């Protein structure tokens, strides 16, 4: 009231002050009107008064205008600003008083809630006490952005004080009930949970306590989050490793149920206990899996129904597993950082973690959306150590497998239906090594980490290819030897497996990840078109390796066939030099026999085919006998047929040798072997024509050479048609003319 009175006094003083421009101006304020016409009339009268009707007085207009401007400036400088300043101060005071009132009301509310909690606890009204504590938690959330730090501290201390008292009381009662139910279950239950004499009373107490603890969850989560935040800001974390998603806090009943298991875990696997051994991570990993398994029935039969009736959708069994898993995560993170300089123990830890993860997901049905232990292996130092050790051990195994006594023999050589690929032991061991690496990193939750392992695998494959090439060069002096063929089988086996991997769903997913992440290690050197092919799944990440392996396979196969043909050609020299022109005609095919000069060649071909069939894989043998047939067809055509002249008897003998002896050697591997000897087969047809047909054909071909344009539209009389009627499709007209000239009985001049 005093401030209001002072303001009113100041306002009245300002209004009555003689220096107020409202009173000193020449323009009387009472003459002003809000109406525009009145204002206009006033101005006219004012001008008449000041200037009069004398036109000479118009020279005073400038002075009058300047006078009015000065008065206007004075008015603008005084006016209502002092009032506004006083009013602003007064409003600030009112706002300050209002905030003080709110502060006091909030403080009063805290005191009221605190007194209510105390009164409820004295009367054992737990539910009312929990509701009062929840109200404190809601009030604390509302004060987060207020800036009233002292008030917040006071509220948080009060909340923490009463929350701890209620939680401790409920936890104590809950632990007593759990003890009566024989919790924790640390050994496999011998029988189903049998009800005790007072089981109904115990179950009622259990449900009441679990429900009350769930009701206390809101304030518990709030205090836990604040404690975690203050811990993070005040201290550095022990490990930089953290789960990719923390998830919601464990529900309060599960937290209390975990306490005895946590105490056991820390007692046995920390400190100087013999069970706390860096070389035996399987001890604590297996123990936790056993606790999960042993407790599952209790959680599903006793706790889960209570949670469902309370409207909680959480799985009690999964919550317990999540709590136990947090103990293991802390332990593994600690041990892994201590084993970075011990390769053997580090590898053992990784193997045990991977096995634990597998059992956790499969046997315990732990949800895939929740983190397990694998994210711990993705920490930079640990992942890099894993890759380094993986490569080191793989290289050591490659050295040992290539130098082993049975490196180039197949372990399935005595089992025909399992030995189609005839992979030597070193190649099969190597691909098994790669497969084991794949199985280890397959479940990692990070595609970029998986791609690092894929890059390592590609590096190992290329290393093994180089080693095979080095061994092959040592054996290239004897390409028909068993070891050389075993190396060829190894190359083909790796090529086949990598081709299958390129179509595997897992590697296709990695391929998409590599494209989306732009992995330089895997995509380096590829053009835009190649990357586009990978993105559309037309290619594979193994294409470069497959091309190198295919080239090596082609080179080795070419060298193998070259040596085989060299041997066959040596055996065929007598056959090439046989007296084909002087052989008499034989009209009875039943009396004909294989040319004696052809026997060494035929035996060599037979033996080589049998040998290659025994030492090469099925797919390689298909390539080998077809390649051999092609080379042999060309050799016989060039060195036997085109290098000799043939009588009718010689032509008949050649056809008999080919169709009744050579072709059947390849008939074991295909239905129509003559199709792979097109030059020889068609040459035999031309050489065996009767004289009249040969003359007509020669004339036709000669005329076609001279009048090519006229014969082009001759229909059935064209040279091609005539040759096709005889069964000649491969040889050109000029080749047929050469063959006709090789006949002893000339077909015309």
């Amino acid at each position: 009231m005093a401030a209001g009175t002072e303001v009113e006094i100041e306002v009245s003083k300002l209004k009555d002050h003689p220096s107020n421009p409202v009173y000193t101006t020449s323009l009387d304020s009472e003459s002003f009107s809000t109406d525009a016409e009145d204002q206009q009339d006033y101005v006219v009268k004012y001008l008449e008064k000041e200037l009069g009707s004398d036109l000479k007085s118009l020279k005073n207009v400038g002075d009058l205008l300047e006078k009015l401007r000065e008065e206007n400036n004075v008015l603008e400088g005084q006016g209502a600003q002092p009032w506004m300043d006083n009013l602003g101060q007064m409003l600030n005071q009112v706002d300050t008083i209002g905030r003080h009132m709110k502060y006091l009301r909030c403080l009063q509310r805290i005191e009221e809630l605190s007194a209510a909690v105390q009164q409820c606890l004295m009367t054992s009204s737990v539910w009312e006490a929990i509701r009062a504590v929840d109200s404190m938690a809601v009030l604390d959330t509302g004060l987060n952005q207020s800036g009233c730090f002292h008030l917040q501290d006071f509220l948080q201390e009060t909340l923490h004080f009463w929350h701890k008292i209620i939680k401790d009381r409920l936890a104590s009662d809950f632990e007593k009930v759990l003890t009566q139910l024989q919790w924790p279950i640390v050994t496999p239950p011998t029988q189903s949970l049998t009800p005790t004499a007072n089981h109904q009373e115990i179950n009622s107490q259990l449900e009441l306590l679990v429900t009350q603890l769930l009701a206390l969850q809101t304030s518990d989560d709030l205090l836990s989050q604040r404690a975690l935040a203050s811990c993070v800001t005040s201290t550095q974390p022990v490990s930089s490793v953290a789960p990719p998603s923390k998830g919601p806090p464990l529900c309060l009943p599960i937290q209390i149920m975990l306490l005895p298991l946590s105490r056991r875990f820390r007692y046995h696997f920390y400190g100087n206990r013999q069970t706390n051994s860096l070389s035996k991570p399987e001890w604590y990993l297996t123990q936790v899996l056993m606790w999960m398994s042993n407790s599952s029935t209790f959680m599903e039969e006793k706790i889960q129904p209570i949670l469902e009736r309370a409207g909680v959708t959480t799985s009690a069994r999964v919550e317990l597993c999540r709590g136990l898993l947090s103990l293991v995560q802390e332990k593994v993170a600690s041990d892994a950082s201590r084993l970075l300089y011990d390769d053997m123990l580090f590898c053992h830890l990784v193997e045990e973690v991977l096995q634990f993860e597998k059992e956790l997901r499969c046997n315990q049905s732990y949800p895939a959306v929740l983190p397990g232990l694998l994210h711990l292996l993705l920490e930079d130092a640990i992942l890099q150590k894993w890759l380094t050790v993986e490569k080191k051990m793989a290289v050591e195994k490659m050295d040992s497998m290539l130098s082993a006594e049975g490196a180039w023999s197949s372990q399935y050589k005595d089992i025909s239906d399992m030995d189609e690929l005839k992979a030597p032991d070193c190649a099969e061991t190597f691909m098994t090594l790669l497969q084991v690496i794949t199985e280890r990193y397959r479940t990692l939750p990070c595609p970029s980490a998986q791609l690092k392992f894929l890059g390592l695998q590609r590096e190992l494959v290329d290393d093994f290819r180089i080693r095979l090439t080095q061994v092959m060069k040592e054996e290239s002096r004897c390409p028909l030897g068993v070891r050389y063929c075993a190396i060829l089988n190894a190359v083909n086996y790796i090529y086949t497996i990598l081709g299958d991997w390129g179509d595997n769903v897992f590697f296709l997913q990695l391929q998409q990840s590599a494209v989306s992440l732009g992995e330089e290690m895997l995509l380096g050197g590829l053009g835009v078109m190649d990357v586009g092919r990978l993105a559309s799944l037309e290619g594979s990440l193994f294409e470069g390796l497959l091309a190198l392996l295919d080239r090596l396979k082609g080179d080795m196969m070419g060298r193998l066939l070259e040596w085989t043909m060299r041997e066959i050609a040596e055996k065929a020299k007598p056959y090439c030099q046989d007296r084909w022109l002087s052989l008499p005609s034989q009209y009875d095919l039943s009396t004909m026999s294989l040319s004696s000069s052809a026997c060494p060649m035929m035996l060599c071909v037979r033996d080589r085919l049998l040998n290659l069939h025994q030492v090469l894989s099925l797919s390689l043998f298909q390539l080998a006998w077809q390649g051999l047939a092609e080379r042999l067809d060309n050799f016989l055509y060039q060195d036997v047929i085109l290098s000799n002249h043939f009588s009718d008897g010689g032509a008949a003998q050649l056809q008999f040798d080919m169709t009744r002896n050579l072709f059947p050697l390849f008939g074991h591997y295909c239905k129509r072997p003559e199709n792979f000897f097109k030059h020889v087969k068609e040459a035999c047809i031309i050489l065996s024509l009767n004289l009249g047909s040969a003359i007509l054909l020669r004339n036709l071909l000669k005329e076609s050479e001279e009048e090519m344009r006229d014969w082009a539209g001759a229909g059935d009389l064209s040279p091609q048609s005539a040759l096709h009627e005889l069964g000649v499709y491969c040889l050109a007209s000029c080749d047929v003319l050469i063959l006709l000239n090789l006949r002893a009985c000339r077909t015309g001049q």
Side-chain angles (χ1 to χ4, degrees):
M1 292 297 293
T5 304
E6 291 176 0
V7 170
E8 292 175 359
I9 293 174
E10 290 297 323
V11 169
S12 63
K13 286 183 179 180
L14 180 62
K15 181 177 179 181
D16 298 333
H17 200 279
S19 63
N20 193 320
V22 175
Y23 295 94
T24 60
T25 182
S26 300
L27 297 175
D28 191 354
S29 62
E30 294 179 356
S31 302
F32 283 100
S33 173
T34 57
D35 186 83
E37 294 181 357
D38 294 342
Q39 291 180 358
Q40 185 175 1
D41 293 341
Y42 176 82
V43 170
V44 172
K45 292 178 181 179
Y46 178 77
L47 291 176
E48 289 179 351
K49 176 182 177 182
E50 293 291 332
L51 300 177
S53 59
D54 187 3
L55 293 176
K56 293 181 180 180
S57 62
L58 291 176
K59 62 181 180 180
N60 299 326
V61 170
D63 296 336
L64 178 62
L65 181 61
E66 185 63 27
K67 177 182 177 183
L68 292 174
R69 284 176 178 169
E70 291 177 357
E71 292 180 351
N72 186 59
N73 290 336
V74 172
L75 287 174
E76 289 180 353
Q78 301 177 2
Q81 190 59 42
W83 295 349
M84 293 298 297
D85 293 341
N86 291 334
L87 183 61
Q89 293 177 2
M90 184 170 61
L91 291 176
N92 289 336
Q93 292 175 357
V94 171
D95 181 64
T96 302
I97 294 172
R99 286 188 284 110
H100 289 173
M101 293 297 295
K102 290 180 180 179
Y103 191 96
L104 292 174
R105 281 198 297 268
C106 186
L107 195 60
Q108 181 182 6
R109 177 61 175 164
I110 297 171
E111 295 289 353
E112 290 175 354
L113 290 173
S114 179
V117 173
Q118 183 178 14
Q119 183 64 31
C120 291
L121 291 178
M122 292 175 62
T123 59
S124 299
S125 301
V126 179
W127 280 113
E128 286 75 6
I130 292 174
R131 281 190 281 270
V133 168
D134 276 346
S135 298
M136 284 189 193
V138 172
L139 182 59
D140 180 65
T141 304
L143 289 176
N144 276 340
Q145 305 299 325
S146 67
C148 301
F149 302 112
H150 296 292
L151 181 62
Q152 282 183 281
D153 290 342
F154 174 69
L155 174 56
Q156 290 166 12
E157 290 175 2
T158 305
L159 174 61
H160 182 271
F161 175 79
W162 290 119
H163 174 85
K164 185 177 185 304
I165 290 177
I166 298 175
K167 181 179 177 180
D168 290 347
R169 178 181 294 186
L170 294 177
S172 176
D173 295 341
F174 188 44
E175 288 174 348
K176 291 177 182 178
V177 173
L178 289 175
T179 302
Q180 293 179 352
L181 294 172
Q182 299 179 355
W183 178 267
I185 304 174
V186 294
T187 58
T190 56
Q191 56 185 356
S192 181
L193 298 175
T194 55
T196 58
N198 57 342
H199 71 279
Q200 291 184 348
E201 180 183 352
I202 294 176
N203 289 339
S204 298
Q205 293 178 359
L206 179 67
E207 180 160 3
L208 176 63
L209 291 169
V210 169
T211 308
Q212 290 176 339
L213 287 169
L214 290 173
L216 201 61
Q217 188 76 42
T218 302
S219 57
D220 190 78
D221 292 347
L222 180 66
L223 293 173
S224 299
Q225 292 170 3
R226 184 168 291 111
L228 180 63
S230 63
C231 179
V232 170
T233 56
S234 61
T235 61
Q236 292 293 329
V238 175
S239 172
S240 61
V241 180
S245 175
K246 282 285 186 181
L250 290 172
C251 66
L252 198 50
I254 305 300
Q255 292 182 32
I256 297 171
M257 296 180 71
L258 279 168
L259 291 176
L261 294 174
S262 177
R263 285 193 293 267
R264 288 172 180 266
F265 186 87
R266 297 187 182 281
Y267 176 82
H268 289 292
F269 304 117
Y270 282 87
N272 297 324
R273 297 286 173 183
Q274 292 183 349
T275 47
N276 180 27
S277 172
L278 287 175
S279 63
K280 297 294 183 180
E282 62 269 27
W283 285 352
Y284 63 82
L285 293 173
T286 303
Q287 181 63 76
V288 168
L289 287 173
M290 290 178 60
W291 286 345
M292 291 179 180
S293 180
N294 296 339
S295 305
S296 61
T297 301
F298 183 91
M299 301 304 293
E300 290 172 354
E301 293 184 3
K302 293 291 186 181
I303 306 300
Q304 188 62 43
I306 300 175
L307 297 183
E308 292 174 356
R309 286 192 289 270
V312 179
T313 58
T314 305
S315 168
R317 182 183 57 80
V318 171
E319 282 290 278
L320 182 71
C321 292
R322 194 156 66 95
L324 290 172
L325 198 56
S326 65
L327 299 175
V328 181
Q329 289 170 345
E330 180 184 352
K331 178 65 174 173
V332 170
S334 173
D335 286 0
S337 61
R338 298 166 61 189
L339 295 177
L340 290 177
Y341 302 101
D342 191 316
D343 291 353
M344 294 303 297
L345 293 183
F346 180 84
C347 286
H348 182 57
L349 175 63
V350 171
E351 290 287 354
E352 291 298 328
V353 167
L354 294 173
Q355 183 62 30
F356 176 88
E357 185 79 16
K358 182 179 179 181
E359 294 187 19
L360 179 69
R361 304 295 180 182
C362 297
N363 298 342
Q364 303 301 327
S365 302
Y366 195 67
V369 296
L370 296 176
L373 295 183
L374 294 183
H375 67 279
L376 300 173
L377 303 178
L378 300 180
E379 195 270 331
D380 290 341
I382 295 176
L383 180 61
Q384 189 57 47
K385 177 65 176 180
W386 185 4
L387 288 165
T388 303
V389 173
E390 199 78 71
K391 180 179 179 179
K392 175 186 175 184
M393 293 194 168
V395 171
E396 291 176 354
K397 290 179 181 178
M398 279 195 288
D399 292 336
S400 62
M401 69 179 68
L402 287 172
S403 60
E405 183 177 352
W408 303 108
S409 61
S410 173
Q411 57 180 322
Y412 305 112
K413 60 184 178 181
D414 299 326
I415 309 175
S416 58
D417 58 341
M418 294 183 61
D419 200 31
E420 285 189 359
L421 292 174
K422 289 185 170 61
D425 189 60
C426 63
E428 192 163 6
T429 305
F430 174 70
M431 293 310 294
T432 302
L433 171 66
L434 292 186
Q435 183 61 42
V436 170
I437 293 176
T438 302
E439 294 303 320
R440 277 198 284 264
Y441 76 80
R442 178 189 291 270
T443 54
L444 290 179
C446 177
S448 61
Q450 292 177 326
L451 289 171
K452 286 183 173 64
F453 282 95
L454 179 59
L456 171 61
Q457 287 178 306
R458 298 202 326 172
E459 184 180 345
L460 292 174
V461 170
D462 197 48
D463 188 2
F464 196 74
R465 177 191 62 84
I466 294 172
R467 291 167 184 258
L468 289 178
T469 304
Q470 293 171 345
V471 179
M472 179 270 294
K473 290 180 179 179
E474 296 174 1
E475 299 295 327
S476 60
R477 294 187 298 271
C478 183
L480 302 179
V482 175
R483 177 169 287 193
Y484 185 91
C485 293
I487 298 170
L488 182 54
N489 284 332
V491 174
N492 182 65
Y493 176 73
I494 297 172
Y495 178 88
T496 303
I497 298 299
L498 288 183
D500 293 339
W501 283 7
D503 297 327
N504 184 277
V505 174
F506 172 69
F507 289 105
L508 289 175
Q509 291 172 341
L510 281 186
Q511 182 172 319
Q512 291 284 15
S513 299
V515 173
S516 61
L517 295 174
E519 283 289 337
E520 285 295 327
M521 179 179 61
L522 298 175
L523 304 178
L526 294 181
V528 177
M529 293 293 293
D530 295 324
V531 174
R533 289 179 63 252
L534 289 179
S536 60
L537 301 181
E538 294 180 13
S540 81
L541 292 173
F542 301 105
E543 274 189 346
L545 293 172
L546 290 173
L548 292 172
L549 290 169
D550 190 52
R551 187 170 69 182
L552 177 58
K553 181 173 67 172
D555 292 344
M556 293 186 69
M557 180 63 73
R559 187 177 287 106
L560 174 65
L561 294 178
E562 180 184 345
W563 276 73
T564 303
M565 276 306 304
R566 190 179 303 175
E567 185 178 0
I568 292 174
E570 183 67 27
K571 301 292 183 181
K573 283 183 178 179
Y575 192 64
C576 296
Q577 300 169 0
D578 213 341
R579 304 180 63 183
W580 299 100
L581 186 60
S582 61
L583 290 178
S585 300
Q586 297 185 28
Y587 298 99
D588 187 4
L589 294 179
S590 62
T591 61
M592 295 183 68
S593 62
L594 175 66
S595 299
S596 59
S597 60
C599 288
M601 178 186 71
M602 296 295 180
L603 288 173
C604 184
V605 171
R606 183 201 65 180
D607 292 343
R608 283 302 157 210
L609 285 173
L610 289 174
N611 180 61
L612 292 176
H613 191 217
Q614 290 175 352
V615 297
L616 291 179
S617 67
L618 184 59
S619 60
L620 284 177
F621 179 67
Q622 287 287 110
L623 295 176
W625 75 256
Q626 291 177 12
L628 181 60
E630 180 184 355
R631 286 168 170 76
L632 190 55
D633 177 49
N634 186 63
F635 168 77
L636 292 173
Y637 182 70
Q638 295 289 338
D639 290 41
V640 176
I641 297 176
L642 295 184
S643 301
N644 289 283
H645 288 76
F646 294 85
S647 64
D648 290 343
Q653 184 63 50
L654 175 67
Q655 187 172 30
F656 181 83
D657 292 343
M658 298 295 103
T659 58
R660 298 297 184 90
N661 293 278
L662 179 63
F663 296 171
L665 290 177
F666 292 85
H668 296 289
Y669 316 114
C670 64
K671 292 183 179 180
R672 300 182 65 85
E674 64 274 10
N675 290 338
F676 295 91
F677 294 87
K678 292 181 179 180
H679 291 87
V680 172
K681 182 186 72 169
E682 295 180 4
C684 288
I685 293 174
I686 299 300
L687 293 175
S688 300
L689 286 175
N690 59 52
L691 183 59
S693 299
I695 293 174
L696 290 175
L697 179 61
R698 185 181 186 281
N699 291 337
L700 179 62
L701 296 177
K702 277 289 187 181
E703 292 173 2
S704 68
E705 284 184 351
E706 298 170 359
E707 302 177 4
M708 182 62 69
R709 295 182 179 179
D710 295 337
W711 283 111
D716 294 339
L717 298 178
S718 67
Q720 284 300 114
S721 300
L723 292 175
H724 289 175
E725 287 181 2
L726 295 173
V728 177
Y729 297 91
C730 177
L731 296 176
S733 299
C734 59
D735 297 326
V736 175
L737 280 173
I738 294 173
L739 291 172
L740 290 173
N741 289 331
L742 295 177
R743 293 168 58 97
C745 297
R746 293 301 178 96
T747 57
Q749 300 299 325

